[in-house]
């Protein structure tokens, strides 16, 4: 019995070391020594919309950010453009609370099947809005904030929410524990293409850690 406990501890430790180097902090770890570019304050339309294909996954690695507020701020607010991964100390040192990330995507036609937005890492917790419509979220977005920093999030978006042409995605990220905060690059596409990477990451970071 003692030998089995030791082996289980060793395997779990090895798994977590591997996660730390490969999966555990996708992009956000690099930000510690390679700060993302930060542009001057500008309107939300300063960031061009990203073209989205109907049969592929698109990675969103640039956003406009704005701290505070309960609802998504309007496009004329004092948004600031940043690259993802982004940690708050790069733009608002010492700030804790809520940070809005704004993305613009354009598609020739609104999807006729279920799509999703995949957040490999949002610290501590996050809620997605698409074209002003709030999506479901997990846990608490207010104090005490749910510590979902190690849990990947896969947010399903109903087909009727998308529009032909331009679409606006807001992601509200909340901090609240040991000054941990930030957002890794976001992925967007058909649910059928995002489920596999989401489930693999969920097992490695959450479920597999308790075997």
């Amino acid at each position: 019995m003692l030998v089995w406990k030791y082996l289980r501890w060793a395997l779990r430790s090895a798994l977590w070391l591997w996660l730390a180097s490969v999966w555990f902090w996708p992009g956000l770890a690099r930000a510690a020594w390679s700060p993302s570019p930060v542009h001057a304050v500008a309107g939300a339309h300063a960031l061009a919309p990203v073209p989205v294909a109907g049969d592929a996954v698109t990675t969103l690695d640039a956003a406009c950010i704005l701290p505070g507020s309960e609802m998504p701020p309007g496009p004329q607010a004092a948004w600031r453009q940043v690259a993802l991964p982004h940690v708050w100390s790069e733009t608002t040192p010492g700030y804790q609370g809520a940070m809005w990330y704004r993305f613009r995507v354009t598609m020739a036609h609104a999807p006729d099947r279920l799509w999703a937005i995949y957040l490999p890492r949002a610290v501590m917790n996050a809620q997605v809005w698409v074209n002003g419509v709030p999506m479901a979220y997990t846990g608490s977005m207010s104090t005490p904030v749910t510590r979902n920093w190690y849990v990947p999030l896969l947010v399903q978006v109903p087909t009727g929410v998308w529009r032909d042409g331009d679409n606006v995605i807001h992601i509200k990220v909340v901090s609240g524990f040991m000054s941990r905060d930030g957002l890794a690059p976001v992925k967007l596409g058909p649910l059928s293409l995002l489920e596999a990477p989401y489930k693999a990451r969920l097992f490695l970071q959450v479920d597999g850690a308790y075997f």
Side-chain angles (χ1 to χ4, degrees), residues 181-208:
D181 47 58
L183 183 67
V186 174
K187 296 185 181 295
L188 164 71
L191 176 64
S192 58
L193 298 181
L194 289 172
E195 279 185 314
Y198 161 74
K199 289 179 179 179
R201 190 177 185 87
L202 183 67
F203 174 78
L204 290 171
Q205 291 187 186
V206 183
D207 299 336

Side-chain angles (χ1 to χ4, degrees), residues 138-149:
T138 301
S140 172
M141 292 288 291
S142 58
T143 305
V145 175
T146 301
R147 301 175 188 177
N148 273 342
W149 58 273

Side-chain angles (χ1 to χ4, degrees), residues 9 12 14 17 31 55 68 93 111 113 145 159-160 166 174 180-181 183 188 193 199:
W9 173 85
R12 184 179 299 174
L17 286 172
D55 57 353
R113 53 177 168 160
V145 175
T159 54
D166 282 4
V174 289
R180 293 177 176 173
D181 47 58
L183 183 67
L188 164 71
L193 298 181
K199 289 179 179 179

Side-chain angles (χ1 to χ4, degrees), residues 7-21:
L7 287 174
R8 186 171 61 179
W9 173 85
L11 288 171
R12 184 179 299 174
S13 299
L15 174 63
W16 277 105
L17 286 172
W18 181 77
L19 286 175
S21 63

Side-chain angles (χ1 to χ4, degrees), residues 101-147:
Y101 292 80
R102 189 181 195 271
F103 306 84
R104 295 169 63 203
V105 299
T106 183
M107 51 185 66
H109 303 286
D112 57 2
R113 53 177 168 160
L114 194 58
W115 271 38
I117 296 173
Y118 173 39
L119 281 60
R121 189 169 179 85
V123 185
M124 284 284 169
N125 203 7
Q127 182 183 16
V128 174
W129 297 57
V130 178
N131 292 326
V133 179
M135 303 292 109
Y137 61 92
T138 301
S140 172
M141 292 288 291
S142 58
T143 305
V145 175
T146 301
R147 301 175 188 177

Side-chain angles (χ1 to χ4, degrees), residues 17-180:
L17 286 172
W18 181 77
L19 286 175
S21 63
V22 180
W23 288 77
F24 188 59
W25 192 272
L28 285 182
R30 296 194 305 271
W33 60 83
S34 180
S36 62
V38 180
H39 299 268
V41 175
H45 293 299
L47 188 62
V50 177
V52 173
D55 57 353
V57 172
T58 300
T59 299
L60 305 177
D61 57 7
C64 289
I65 63 166
L66 192 66
S69 82
E70 289 297 319
M71 303 293 289
Q76 301 308 317
W79 294 93
R80 176 175 295 182
Q81 183 180 341
V82 299
L84 302 182
H86 170 247
V87 293
W88 298 1
S89 60
E90 298 171 358
T91 50
T92 51
Y95 173 75
Q96 291 190 23
M99 183 75 72
W100 287 95
Y101 292 80
R102 189 181 195 271
F103 306 84
R104 295 169 63 203
V105 299
T106 183
M107 51 185 66
H109 303 286
D112 57 2
R113 53 177 168 160
L114 194 58
W115 271 38
I117 296 173
Y118 173 39
L119 281 60
R121 189 169 179 85
V123 185
M124 284 284 169
N125 203 7
Q127 182 183 16
V128 174
W129 297 57
V130 178
N131 292 326
V133 179
M135 303 292 109
Y137 61 92
T138 301
S140 172
M141 292 288 291
S142 58
T143 305
V145 175
T146 301
R147 301 175 188 177
N148 273 342
W149 58 273
Y150 62 95
V151 180
L153 303 175
L154 184 64
V155 180
Q156 298 185 21
V157 182
T159 54
V161 174
W162 299 107
R163 305 168 182 164
D164 297 347
D166 282 4
N167 292 263
V168 177
I169 299 169
H170 289 93
I171 300 178
K172 183 181 183 180
V173 177
V174 289
S175 62
F177 179 69
M178 295 178 61
S179 299
R180 293 177 176 173

